[in-house]
Amino acid sequence: MLTVPLPIALLVIGTLLLTTVMAGTLTSRFGLPALIGFLGLGMLAGVDGPGGIAFNDYVLTQGVGVACLIFILFSGGMDTSWQAVKRMVRPALVLATFGVLISALITASAAVLLLKFTWFQGFLLGSVVASTDAAAVFAILRSTGLDLEGDVPALIELESGTNDPMAIFMVGAALLFITQPGASPLGLLPDFAGQMAMGVVIGLGIGWLLPELLKRKHYRSSGLAFVISIAAALIAYGLAEVIGGNGFLAAYIAGLVAGNRSYAARRIISTFQDGLAWLGQVVMFLTLGLLVAPTNLVDVIVPGLGITFVLMLVARPVSVFICLAPFRSLDWRAKLFVSWAGLRGAVPIVLATFPMVAGVPGAFTIFNIVFFVVLLSSVIQGPSMKWVAKRLGIGANDKPRSALLAIKAP
């Protein structure tokens, strides 16, 4: 039930959205991911900040996060050029699956040692923070004007867009092991294969159907084209989940297929979905910021620092060098940069709400550590990415521009 008049509530929401965008623009000018501004404003508006908004609904936050991620992944797929990334499909998929698993296992070991977690609790934490964030990485690249050489951008983009399903599956597996101790890990392999396969099939189907609908004359030049694109993203996710597939993979594949076909409305749909993706990031991070009380982070500073540095300096580099060892086209400099470019963002924080909703032991500590890891990863890796690229000799500088104002071409 609303406790304030509806006009005032809408005014507050609109003001928060606009102010959040401005905060994200400001942080991006300093080489930080826009999510720092989004989260920061949410925390200021929250219970420990001057805004004083008390918000602790993890179920609602999870729902908001899932909905926003659908459009972020769908837009990411539409903005991915298949011609540019197809050479990196094999290394990206290896890194998006086995790389995520290796990172999770190494981080789990650190959690057992540092936090005295059980192995399953450690694996849960490792799985939550294992996936990288494409939006955060490319916002940094656009804001700094960094132009990377070779296939490195394609590898980072494709890996970041496809590693979320693996992390989501592992989080579900960890929760199953914790709540049902007798569950067999080997019994989950067919389920994983089925989820991935159905996600790909549904994504391909929806991605093919969207352009076919938009080729019709009464849709391609009207605002209904935008409605159809929204429906496509939601149907791709929902249909895949209903029949046992991975909805996030389906949403990404649908966007990838639709974005690489030729039809009259493709450019405006891509721009519209890019706007929805930014709106999704703003809403999601603002909500997550409201959910976190900064005073709760004090108790996890020491273990959070430990987990962050293990993830950045050990787990991610080890997983990258192991997974990319067979691919000779990528030298050690490219692998080292890919290791450092593994920023964490929206997905880990959203995944951290799953243990809270499930009520597993240690869930509150896991959520706060994940939030701390994402903040520290963004603050350390974001501003230093340009410097690392220059030191490794794989990037050239162009004129910087605001990541929030950079409209990606379809």
Side-chain angles (χ1 to χ4, degrees):
M1 181 180 294
L2 289 174
T3 58
V4 295
L6 180 60
I8 294 179
L10 295 177
L11 175 61
V12 170
I13 292 172
T15 302
L16 279 175
L17 289 177
L18 180 60
T19 310
T20 304
V21 171
M22 295 172 66
T25 305
L26 180 62
T27 56
S28 69
R29 293 183 183 277
F30 292 96
L32 294 169
L35 68 88
I36 294 296
F38 300 160
L39 286 172
L41 189 66
M43 294 169 73
L44 288 173
V47 65
D48 281 352
I53 299 175
F55 179 76
N56 60 357
D57 193 332
Y58 288 90
V59 175
L60 176 60
T61 302
Q62 185 183 104
V64 170
V66 168
C68 293
L69 284 175
I70 293 171
F71 292 105
I72 291 172
L73 289 171
F74 185 78
S75 174
M78 290 204 73
D79 288 328
T80 299
S81 169
W82 177 249
Q83 292 298 319
V85 304
K86 65 180 181 180
R87 289 188 300 175
M88 289 290 102
V89 169
R90 287 191 299 165
L93 291 182
V94 171
L95 197 54
T97 50
F98 292 105
V100 171
L101 178 60
I102 294 170
S103 290
L105 291 174
I106 295 175
T107 307
S109 301
V112 171
L113 294 174
L114 297 174
L115 300 168
K116 307 304 179 183
F117 276 6
T118 66
W119 275 103
F120 287 144
Q121 287 176 316
F123 183 65
L124 176 59
L125 174 59
S127 300
V128 167
V129 298
S131 65
T132 59
D133 189 274
V137 172
F138 281 89
I140 291 294
L141 297 183
R142 291 195 301 275
S143 65
T144 59
L146 180 59
D147 183 20
L148 296 175
E149 297 177 353
D151 292 321
V152 173
L155 174 60
I156 296 173
E157 182 172 0
L158 194 57
E159 183 234 344
S160 299
T162 56
N163 63 12
D164 296 336
M166 181 66 176
I168 293 166
F169 176 81
M170 293 195 310
V171 169
L175 291 174
L176 178 65
F177 297 148
I178 293 173
T179 56
Q180 301 180 26
S184 170
L186 293 179
L188 296 177
L189 294 179
D191 185 43
F192 173 73
Q195 285 187 28
M196 297 300 107
M198 291 308 301
V200 170
V201 170
I202 295 300
L204 291 173
I206 299 299
W208 176 85
L209 182 61
L210 173 61
E212 293 301 312
L213 287 174
L214 295 179
K215 286 179 182 178
R216 297 176 179 272
K217 184 177 180 180
H218 53 287
Y219 290 147
R220 65 189 181 196
S221 59
S222 72
L224 290 176
F226 300 147
V227 178
I228 293 174
S229 70
I230 293 174
L234 295 176
I235 290 173
Y237 174 85
L239 182 59
E241 289 288 329
V242 167
I243 64 175
N246 189 288
F248 292 110
L249 181 60
Y252 180 77
I253 296 295
L256 181 64
V257 173
N260 283 273
R261 295 190 63 194
S262 179
Y263 49 100
R266 183 170 66 91
R267 181 177 295 276
I268 61 171
I269 291 297
S270 178
T271 302
F272 173 72
Q273 285 294 333
D274 188 45
L276 276 184
W278 275 115
L279 177 61
Q281 290 188 62
V282 171
V283 171
M284 178 168 53
F285 285 119
L286 179 61
T287 304
L288 292 168
L290 286 171
L291 189 64
V292 173
T295 53
N296 292 333
L297 300 180
V298 175
D299 294 335
V300 300
I301 289 178
V302 174
L305 285 170
I307 295 297
T308 301
F309 287 116
V310 167
L311 184 63
M312 290 194 305
L313 303 178
V314 182
R316 173 67 177 178
V318 168
S319 66
V320 169
F321 275 83
I322 289 177
C323 291
L324 298 185
F327 304 99
R328 303 298 182 183
S329 62
L330 297 164
D331 62 14
W332 68 270
R333 298 176 306 132
K335 294 171 185 175
L336 196 58
F337 183 80
V338 171
S339 300
W340 191 248
L343 271 72
R344 269 58 190 178
V347 175
I349 304 179
V350 173
L351 289 181
T353 64
F354 283 63
M356 294 294 298
V357 174
V360 301
F364 189 70
T365 300
I366 290 174
F367 182 86
N368 288 324
I369 288 177
V370 170
F371 198 92
F372 187 85
V373 168
V374 170
L375 286 178
L376 204 58
S377 170
S378 301
V379 170
I380 295 175
Q381 291 175 284
S384 62
M385 197 178 300
K386 184 176 181 179
W387 178 85
V388 171
K390 289 178 64 177
R391 294 289 293 178
L392 293 173
I394 62 172
N397 295 323
D398 294 317
K399 185 178 180 180
R401 55 197 174 117
S402 171
L404 287 177
L405 300 179
I407 302 299
K408 296 172 283 184

